[in-house]
Amino acid sequence: ADEPRLRDVAADRDFEIGAAVAAEPLRTDASYKKILRNEFNYVTAENALKMGPLRPARHTYDFRDADAVVDYAREHDQTVRAHTLAWHNQTPEWFQEWDYTDGQLEDFLRDHVHTTAGRYRSRVDAWDVVNEAVADDGTMRDNLWYDAMGERYLDRAFEWADEVASETDLYYNDYGADGVNEKSDAIYDLVSRMLDRGVPIDGVGLQLHALHEKPAPESVAENVRRFRELDLDVQITEMDVAYTPADDPGDRDARWEKQAEYYRAITEVCLDEGVDTLVVWGVRDSDSWVSSWFESLTGDPLLFDAGNDPKPAYHAIKETLETY
Ligand code: G3I
């Protein structure tokens, strides 16, 4: 009989192993689709469910790419997490020309959340309602939503999503806060305040873009534990493991072994700490955002190589799910 696929091994553990999906290769690349449907039981949209792509103009929505990702996942019995409703990045380009009042921006966000979260209410399992609201120094990020509404924008976005999709799990998602550090301390304080205000938040997403010096797995475990103690779910939402020249062994096979060990360690943390979802940020190394965003980093952070073959990291996660 064929080797069990990663998604089957995960399903046996009630574990969700996911990938961020781009609409373009989903339409055109048969090898991409074969890996995606065979190996992952969980899917997120890398870009298609962001405000910019959804909103070509002030009073219009374009759900075609988003529907392509969500429909493909559901055809292949994959659970979908949606990313993201309120973020400082990837806002519509025409915002630059819109001279809005604070009230108009709030009305826009309310309509966006109600319409978008309402449309996918029975088709997605979770939303990143707010993404990256905390700055790297732990202060609240001074973004357009914060300028118009203060910290209240987070409360309102979660409440509006809950109004139209109460059965969807509502997440706060961020990067660089995977281990215990100044930023994850600030996020812990933020979500604690939100819980005290009765905001309907269900979980925290740790992106885990291990691009530089890695967060040590035991620090990730300690961080996860404190959010779980707030009775929040935790998901690893955007994992990739790239290397700076300083921490790159220089030899590709050595780097891929090192990378595999880190994926293994994080999978073990998930199983130890009650995290039942790990999403990697792309399907193949050639699909990764890293190579196009950072010259100095190795561009091979994912589970499959540019030739569609599984890497040591793939086997490390699979073996851990089979034996740990
Ligand atoms: O689709 C347009 C295309 O029509 C246009 O011709 C082209 C040139 O302007 O841009 C294309 O959009 C790009 C989009 O990716 C799709 O390829 C945007 O410019 C580009 O900024 C966007 O980058 C994405 C980035 O988020 C910003 O939204 C990356 O693919 C995506 O991997 C990255 O993902 C983020 C998460 O959402 C949040 N956490 C961090 C993570 C990495 O930055």
Side-chain angles (χ1 to χ4, degrees):
D2 281 349
E3 272 277 288
R5 308 313 311 166
L6 178 59
R7 71 172 288 176
D8 304 321
V9 168
D12 290 348
R13 292 290 297 255
D14 294 325
F15 194 83
E16 292 164 329
I17 184 71
V21 171
E24 189 45 44
L26 201 57
R27 289 200 177 88
T28 59
D29 188 327
S31 307
Y32 181 91
K33 285 188 273 192
K34 184 163 184 282
I35 296 172
L36 177 63
R37 65 174 177 269
N38 284 344
E39 304 292 355
F40 297 97
N41 60 5
Y42 202 79
V43 158
T44 192
E46 183 173 11
N47 290 296
L49 276 161
K50 292 170 180 173
M51 189 182 275
L54 288 180
R55 309 301 304 276
R58 185 166 161 195
H59 301 290
T60 56
Y61 291 81
D62 178 354
F63 289 113
R64 283 173 296 178
D65 278 358
D67 285 345
V69 173
V70 172
D71 293 349
Y72 187 87
R74 290 172 60 75
E75 276 159 38
H76 296 94
D77 194 23
Q78 295 166 317
T79 306
V80 180
R81 89 182 307 271
H83 171 83
T84 178
L85 292 169
W87 188 25
H88 64 278
N89 216 335
Q90 207 78 57
T91 51
E93 283 174 18
W94 51 267
F95 266 29
Q96 269 97 38
E97 290 86 56
W98 182 26
D99 187 16
Y100 52 76
T101 65
D102 292 350
Q104 286 173 317
L105 193 69
E106 175 164 351
D107 292 346
F108 181 86
L109 182 59
R110 181 190 309 108
D111 183 68
H112 183 76
V113 174
H114 277 158
T115 304
T116 308
R119 177 189 180 85
Y120 293 105
R121 61 177 302 143
S122 56
R123 293 191 275 170
V124 303
D125 185 55
W127 264 104
D128 285 332
V129 174
V130 176
N131 192 46
E132 303 173 8
V134 174
D136 293 350
D137 67 358
T139 58
M140 291 305 290
R141 189 185 293 272
D142 181 17
N143 65 36
L144 70 166
W145 313 111
Y146 191 83
D147 285 345
M149 301 168 65
E151 187 172 302
R152 212 171 46 83
Y153 87 90
L154 288 112
D155 302 21
R156 290 295 90 72
F158 277 85
E159 282 153 10
W160 295 330
D162 192 48
E163 283 162 13
V164 297
S166 56
E167 68 282 16
T168 304
D169 289 336
L170 304 180
Y171 278 77
Y172 173 79
N173 191 54
D174 216 325
Y175 70 88
D178 311 302
V180 174
N181 60 30
E182 184 181 35
K183 184 167 180 177
S184 58
D185 289 349
I187 291 169
Y188 181 83
D189 293 344
L190 168 65
V191 299
S192 299
R193 291 197 299 277
M194 290 169 69
L195 287 167
D196 291 346
R197 297 194 293 255
V199 174
I201 176 172
D202 300 299
V204 169
L206 307 180
Q207 294 182 14
L208 234 180
H209 288 291
L211 294 182
H212 304 290
E213 282 319 304
K214 300 184 184 63
E218 50 279 3
S219 185
V220 175
E222 192 185 334
N223 193 35
V224 169
R225 269 198 293 278
R226 62 175 168 175
F227 287 108
R228 301 280 291 130
E229 279 154 18
L230 290 177
D231 201 20
L232 290 171
D233 289 331
V234 176
Q235 292 186 330
I236 304 296
T237 55
E238 308 185 9
M239 188 167 179
D240 42 32
V241 182
Y243 292 82
T244 62
D247 56 9
D248 179 0
D251 161 65
R252 192 199 75 169
D253 290 349
R255 180 170 68 247
W256 283 8
E257 279 310 320
K258 198 176 165 195
Q259 181 184 73
E261 281 324 297
Y262 189 70
Y263 273 109
R264 178 192 308 280
I266 294 299
T267 307
E268 289 176 356
V269 167
C270 290
L271 298 175
D272 288 340
E273 303 301 339
V275 174
D276 58 16
T277 306
L278 190 160
V279 180
V280 293
W281 201 242
V283 177
R284 302 164 301 194
D285 287 340
S286 40
D287 307 308
S288 171
W289 69 292
V290 170
S291 8
S292 48
W293 285 64
F294 301 97
E295 276 74 46
S296 66
L297 294 179
T298 61
D300 52 6
L302 296 170
L303 306 186
F304 288 82
D305 67 22
N308 300 305
D309 290 323
K311 295 160 60 182
Y314 166 91
H315 296 294
I317 294 179
K318 197 167 140 195
E319 282 154 22
T320 304
L321 291 173
E322 280 170 333
T323 60
Y324 187 70

